[in-house]
Amino acid sequence: MKKYRLSELTAGEIRRLCQRNPIDDEEIVSVCRFIFQAVAEKGDEAVRSFTLQFDGVEIDEFRVGADAINEAVQETAPEVMTALQQAAANIRKFHSAQQIPEKPVETQPGVTCWRASRAISPIGIYVPGGTAVLPSTVLMLGIPARLAGCARIILCVPPDSEGKVSPEVLAAAQIAGIRQIFKVGGAQAIAAMTFGTESIPQVEKIFGPGNRYVQTAKLLATFHGVAIDMVAGPSEVLVIADETASAEFVASDLISQAEHGGDSRVVLVSTSEKLIEDVLGELHKQAAGLPRENYVQASLSEGLALLAESLDEAFDFSNRYAPEHLILNVDDPRQYQGLIQSAGSVFIGPWSPEVAGDYASGTNHTLPTSGMARAYSGVSMDSFVKKITFQELTPEGLRSLAPTLEALARIESLEGHRRAVSIRIEKLDEDESDG
Amino acid sequence: MKKYRLSELTAGEIRRLCQRNPIDDEEIVSVCRFIFQAVAEKGDEAVRSFTLQFDGVEIDEFRVGADAINEAVQETAPEVMTALQQAAANIRKFHSAQQIPEKPVETQPGVTCWRASRAISPIGIYVPGGTAVLPSTVLMLGIPARLAGCARIILCVPPDSEGKVSPEVLAAAQIAGIRQIFKVGGAQAIAAMTFGTESIPQVEKIFGPGNRYVQTAKLLATFHGVAIDMVAGPSEVLVIADETASAEFVASDLISQAEHGGDSRVVLVSTSEKLIEDVLGELHKQAAGLPRENYVQASLSEGLALLAESLDEAFDFSNRYAPEHLILNVDDPRQYQGLIQSAGSVFIGPWSPEVAGDYASGTNHTLPTSGMARAYSGVSMDSFVKKITFQELTPEGLRSLAPTLEALARIESLEGHRRAVSIRIEKLDEDESDG
């Protein structure tokens, strides 16, 4: 961990500490453009050849059959099925509560406006393979999608070296109610869902994590009218801790983040110099011998341990950093809620490790990274619907709004707009004088 | 208008009719990349030189002074001020109702999760100049931004040939409560708000309409971590009308859309061949002599007049097309609300012209175009906030969730995740045996 005293840093130095993971990499963009063009032109044939090239495996049939899904569920250990089901139940409960119907609003007499939600369909979910099997991501995206009413859900997962998908991922898909699963990964999966191929359907919105190629491909997809959840960079945690925090707990939270990969970001901000030293000692102890110790060490060596003069200064830095995960390990933590301006998800107090939200408390783990929490929210029910506005005016409503509409049309020099109103008012006048 | 009978079109032909305005134009992308690079490197100097090149005017001081804003308010006709204020009041009323607080959810005993909104700040609003002065857009974006609590709002408007901004735009900004106004337009305005320059602040999210350069620049901004509202293409309307509709009203709505520009899209879908003929006659009559007749004619010549066998077929086409604006001019229109899957904003019945929503009914006029209504919503209060999830577990909550968390960490081979839980459970066990 790199140690700094916040009060000794200049504004520019703080800005640099907060900068991370630029996505604008020309080389990756041009590789992704090439893949997009090939998939747009050649469909399955191109996807097959990129799969051979990048995943090292030949795939004839991308779609995972119903038999394979059923087998996977049989193969999955009962305690894993139970865990997936409990996680699913909590995710369902938290996300259901986000569906709040809105009432129509009469903005002025005779002018009624309202909004209604409609599910987006088809949608595409991307779940990475690589160094970790991620059934939790299948639940985090699949469950709210089903709750929102997305009629068609496409899941793409890269095949392993034997051309298979892990049984737990398939079991999670079964629990989430996803049946269209395709063995395809990387930028070619995103391209396939953007354009559609002979076997992989075109979708309206693409969700999910992935490496820089996948994320850049998602950005390119937006140029073709496909929406995306967000660009997801490496995972991050920022812990704010005071002298009352347990160094053991804090170290375990930093490590659980660091083990995601060498590019994971871990930041500790504390008002206690002693706590920082204790945490550093604990990190050393706890990291030793972990199966993914190499990732942990790589990530920790780039980590930040920041001494703050006050909790205000700590929250101020955290808001600038806008971490994906923010853990509050301070005395009476709830009182600081209002100070938090930018973060993906917040974990309050010593008994709320980030792992709870990663898996099973009910909140979504698809969260803004790389400082994007300044402007983006994590995935929620909102992500799977579009909200349509409606309005209905009565003749009286239109009449009372007409002078305003006509005046504004006039300033904007849009005579046709003005006439769409005046033609109706003339009709109302006629009808009245007839009556 | 091009006439077709929907039942005679193949699926491929319908798809082609629904395709419009691809944004992936290599040449525009490369111009915008060039502008971005120059502004990133040279700041104001580059912005000044692009302004001279594209707007034909030298601007020393981009910021519009408080005096100029006050003067503009004085200059604006009283009936225009009244109209802007009535529009503002309705927009405020409709958008306020979208702020619905969410309750915490106890997903299982001792596990409490909730969401809270935080305003995004600073934000940037872009309002185009060009062929129309658009104070209404200032209200549509500025009012919800202020309501949401965005602390800093930057407004960029291209200067006219005299280096000025129209007084009505400044008056609307005053009503919306926007004070930081800059005379800068085009891709250079978007680049300036993306990187920040000596005089123009960097923002977290950019909103607003504009030509293809502006929209492509907004997409590029997302590569630099800046969020955008959406990519906005040319404006569109689709009218569904049956034999009860007034051909005069329908024609006036199509024309009010067509006058936005030659690339505006107008579509009529009707179950009545007679109505279609009557509307075509009315279009001819109403278009003649309009100040923007050239735009109207250009747009109408590319417009679609589609005969449907049934209203179901009409709604089916409309959902595929996903129009920005959808007008229902049919008998008892409210009953068809449920059939609408994809549209930006819907206008119900003969007394609800699109113009009402364009200006003053209260709904937002910043809406998804080019088929993006399949996945995107129009601008709303949601657009100006991010929602942060929070969670707090009690020791008992963590204990009951622990087996699930540990089982999932095990399948994902994340031992550090598992230990962040087990280390806490061990502590609880110790404390208990101590107690």
Side-chain angles (χ1 to χ4, degrees):
Chain A
M1 303 275 275
K2 295 173 180 171
K3 291 199 280 181
Y4 299 97
R5 188 181 282 267
L6 278 175
S7 59
E8 287 172 0
L9 296 174
T10 65
E13 284 166 333
I14 288 183
R15 204 175 313 119
R16 269 192 296 284
L17 289 184
C18 291
Q19 267 165 10
R20 53 209 195 267
N21 316 314
I23 185 84
D24 190 27
D25 183 316
E26 291 275 354
E27 199 182 310
I28 295 182
V29 170
S30 82
V31 169
C32 288
R33 271 190 185 278
F34 176 79
I35 293 173
F36 265 56
Q37 202 176 337
V39 172
E41 281 168 14
K42 296 187 188 160
D44 279 349
E45 189 193 327
V47 177
R48 217 165 259 128
S49 116
F50 290 125
T51 303
L52 183 58
Q53 186 182 344
F54 299 125
D55 301 302
V57 58
E58 264 186 83
I59 302 283
D60 284 333
E61 172 67 41
F62 292 113
R63 175 99 187 242
V64 178
D67 288 356
I69 300 173
N70 291 337
E71 260 171 50
V73 173
Q74 299 305 321
E75 260 179 60
T76 302
E79 69 273 18
V80 172
M81 286 304 284
T82 306
L84 288 171
Q85 274 151 352
Q86 190 184 8
N90 286 348
I91 296 166
R92 204 169 281 127
K93 195 162 176 186
F94 182 60
H95 287 76
S96 298
Q98 293 164 11
Q99 292 178 298
I100 306 175
E102 290 174 29
K103 293 199 190 83
V105 179
E106 197 170 16
T107 52
Q108 61 177 63
V111 179
T112 308
C113 306
W114 64 100
R115 290 205 299 174
S117 290
R118 297 287 187 272
I120 302 169
S121 181
I123 63 148
I125 294 175
Y126 183 80
V127 171
T131 62
V133 168
L134 298 172
S136 57
T137 300
V138 178
L139 299 182
M140 290 291 175
L141 297 172
I143 287 173
R146 290 281 293 182
L147 271 180
C150 301
R152 292 183 67 199
I153 304 172
I154 312 305
L155 174 63
C156 288
V157 195
D160 65 18
S161 57
E162 290 174 7
K164 291 195 169 173
V165 173
S166 95
E168 291 86 1
V169 164
L170 296 179
Q174 167 92 339
I175 288 170
I178 301 172
R179 275 171 212 91
Q180 290 199 63
I181 306 169
F182 296 88
K183 291 183 282 191
V184 54
Q188 62 273 22
I190 306 302
M193 292 192 280
T194 299
F195 300 112
T197 69
E198 299 87 322
S199 56
I200 301 162
Q202 187 180 31
V203 303
E204 298 294 345
K205 188 166 184 175
I206 298 174
F207 295 80
N211 62 22
R212 297 183 69 183
Y213 289 89
V214 169
Q215 298 306 319
T216 302
K218 282 168 67 184
L219 273 179
L220 284 184
T222 66
F223 281 72
H224 298 276
V226 175
I228 61 171
D229 53 350
M230 72 188 89
V231 175
S235 198
E236 312 162 348
V237 73
L238 187 150
V239 180
I240 297 180
D242 64 11
E243 70 289 348
T244 70
S246 149
E248 246 185 305
F249 291 6
V250 171
S252 77
D253 290 333
L254 296 174
I255 284 177
S256 74
Q257 187 56 250
E259 76 175 337
H260 277 292
D263 54 2
S264 289
R265 304 282 173 153
V266 296
V267 183
L268 168 62
V269 187
S270 179
T271 47
S272 161
E273 204 157 2
K274 176 174 184 307
L275 182 89
I276 291 179
E277 292 310 320
D278 290 351
V279 169
L280 294 179
E282 272 293 327
L283 286 173
H284 189 73
K285 227 168 70 186
Q286 293 185 25
L290 276 178
R292 294 164 74 101
E293 192 186 346
N294 53 335
Y295 286 145
V296 173
Q297 298 295 6
S299 167
L300 289 180
S301 71
E302 291 297 313
L304 304 175
L306 306 173
L307 181 63
E309 302 292 316
S310 65
L311 282 176
D312 277 338
E313 192 184 51
F315 280 101
D316 187 51
F317 179 81
S318 175
N319 286 329
R320 282 170 202 274
Y321 194 87
E324 181 189 16
H325 304 99
L326 171 60
I327 299 181
L328 300 192
N329 243 315
V330 296
D331 188 40
D332 191 10
R334 276 234 191 187
Q335 65 175 303
Y336 300 105
Q337 237 186 105
L339 292 183
I340 300 166
Q341 285 302 323
S342 292
S345 197
V346 183
F347 299 78
I348 294 183
W351 310 108
S352 311
E354 185 203 310
V355 180
D358 285 347
Y359 288 136
S361 61
T363 59
N364 209 290
H365 79 192
T366 311
L367 296 166
T369 56
S370 310
M372 282 192 283
R374 293 178 208 119
Y376 287 86
S377 312
V379 163
S380 72
M381 293 297 285
D382 302 336
S383 314
F384 298 94
V385 300
K386 61 252 182 177
K387 292 188 182 175
I388 303 176
T389 51
F390 291 81
Q391 64 197 275
E392 186 168 25
L393 279 71
T394 62
E396 296 67 41
L398 182 61
R399 200 189 272 283
S400 68
L401 204 54
T404 290
L405 299 176
E406 297 198 42
L408 292 172
R410 248 186 236 109
I411 338 168
E412 300 200 350
S413 305
L414 295 171
E415 174 64 11
H417 280 56
R418 199 193 63 73
R419 287 200 198 164
V421 178
S422 64
I423 210 170
R424 285 168 162 95
I425 301 297
E426 282 157 23
K427 179 80 167 87
L428 286 175
D429 289 344
E430 266 172 42
D431 288 358
E432 246 169 51
S433 64
D434 286 357
Chain B
M1 303 276 274
K2 295 173 178 170
K3 291 199 280 182
Y4 300 97
R5 187 180 283 266
L6 278 174
S7 60
E8 287 171 0
L9 298 174
T10 64
E13 284 166 333
I14 287 183
R15 205 175 311 119
R16 270 191 297 283
L17 289 183
C18 292
Q19 267 164 9
R20 54 209 193 267
N21 317 315
I23 185 85
D24 190 27
D25 183 314
E26 292 274 354
E27 201 182 309
I28 294 181
V29 170
S30 80
V31 170
C32 289
R33 272 191 185 278
F34 175 79
I35 292 173
F36 266 56
Q37 203 176 335
V39 172
E41 282 168 15
K42 297 188 189 159
D44 279 349
E45 187 193 328
V47 177
R48 217 165 260 129
S49 117
F50 290 125
T51 303
L52 183 58
Q53 186 181 345
F54 299 125
D55 301 302
V57 59
E58 263 186 84
I59 302 284
D60 285 329
E61 172 68 41
F62 294 114
R63 176 97 186 247
V64 178
D67 287 355
I69 300 173
N70 292 336
E71 260 172 51
V73 173
Q74 298 305 322
E75 260 179 60
T76 303
E79 68 272 19
V80 172
M81 285 304 285
T82 307
L84 288 170
Q85 275 150 353
Q86 189 183 9
N90 286 349
I91 296 166
R92 203 169 281 128
K93 193 162 177 186
F94 181 60
H95 287 75
S96 298
Q98 293 164 12
Q99 290 179 299
I100 305 175
E102 289 174 30
K103 293 199 189 83
V105 179
E106 197 170 15
T107 54
Q108 62 177 63
V111 180
T112 307
C113 306
W114 65 100
R115 290 205 298 174
S117 291
R118 296 287 187 272
I120 302 169
S121 182
I123 64 149
I125 295 176
Y126 183 80
V127 171
T131 64
V133 169
L134 298 173
S136 57
T137 300
V138 177
L139 299 183
M140 290 292 175
L141 297 172
I143 287 174
R146 289 283 293 184
L147 270 179
C150 301
R152 291 183 68 199
I153 305 172
I154 311 305
L155 173 64
C156 287
V157 194
D160 64 18
S161 57
E162 290 174 7
K164 292 196 168 173
V165 173
S166 94
E168 291 85 2
V169 164
L170 296 179
Q174 166 92 337
I175 289 170
I178 301 173
R179 274 170 215 91
Q180 289 199 63
I181 306 169
F182 296 88
K183 291 182 282 190
V184 52
Q188 60 274 20
I190 306 303
M193 292 192 280
T194 299
F195 301 111
T197 69
E198 298 88 323
S199 56
I200 301 162
Q202 186 179 34
V203 303
E204 299 295 345
K205 187 167 183 175
I206 299 173
F207 295 81
N211 63 21
R212 298 182 68 183
Y213 289 89
V214 169
Q215 299 306 318
T216 302
K218 281 168 66 185
L219 273 178
L220 284 185
T222 66
F223 281 72
H224 298 275
V226 175
I228 61 171
D229 53 350
M230 71 188 90
V231 175
S235 196
E236 312 163 347
V237 72
L238 186 151
V239 180
I240 297 180
D242 65 10
E243 71 290 349
T244 69
S246 150
E248 245 183 306
F249 291 5
V250 171
S252 76
D253 290 333
L254 296 173
I255 284 177
S256 74
Q257 188 57 249
E259 77 175 336
H260 277 292
D263 54 2
S264 289
R265 305 281 175 153
V266 296
V267 182
L268 168 63
V269 187
S270 179
T271 47
S272 162
E273 203 157 1
K274 178 174 182 308
L275 182 89
I276 291 178
E277 293 310 320
D278 290 350
V279 169
L280 295 178
E282 274 291 326
L283 286 173
H284 189 73
K285 230 168 67 185
Q286 292 185 24
L290 275 178
R292 295 163 73 101
E293 192 186 345
N294 53 335
Y295 287 144
V296 173
Q297 298 295 5
S299 167
L300 289 180
S301 71
E302 289 298 312
L304 304 175
L306 306 172
L307 181 63
E309 302 292 317
S310 65
L311 283 176
D312 278 339
E313 193 183 50
F315 280 100
D316 187 52
F317 178 82
S318 174
N319 286 330
R320 282 171 202 274
Y321 194 86
E324 181 189 16
H325 304 99
L326 170 60
I327 299 180
L328 301 191
N329 242 315
V330 297
D331 188 41
D332 192 10
R334 276 233 188 187
Q335 66 175 304
Y336 299 104
Q337 236 187 107
L339 292 182
I340 300 165
Q341 285 302 323
S342 292
S345 195
V346 182
F347 299 79
I348 295 185
W351 310 107
S352 311
E354 186 205 308
V355 179
D358 286 346
Y359 288 136
S361 62
T363 58
N364 209 291
H365 80 191
T366 310
L367 296 165
T369 55
S370 310
M372 282 192 284
R374 293 177 207 119
Y376 288 86
S377 312
V379 163
S380 73
M381 291 297 286
D382 302 336
S383 313
F384 298 93
V385 299
K386 61 250 184 180
K387 292 187 180 176
I388 303 177
T389 52
F390 291 81
Q391 63 197 278
E392 186 168 27
L393 279 69
T394 63
E396 296 67 41
L398 181 62
R399 198 188 273 286
S400 68
L401 205 54
T404 290
L405 299 176
E406 296 198 43
L408 292 173
R410 249 187 233 107
I411 338 167
E412 299 198 349
S413 306
L414 295 171
E415 174 64 10
H417 280 56
R418 200 192 63 72
R419 287 201 199 164
V421 177
S422 64
I423 210 170
R424 285 169 163 92
I425 300 298
E426 282 156 24
K427 179 79 169 87
L428 285 175
D429 289 345
E430 267 172 41
D431 288 356
E432 245 168 50
S433 63
D434 286 355

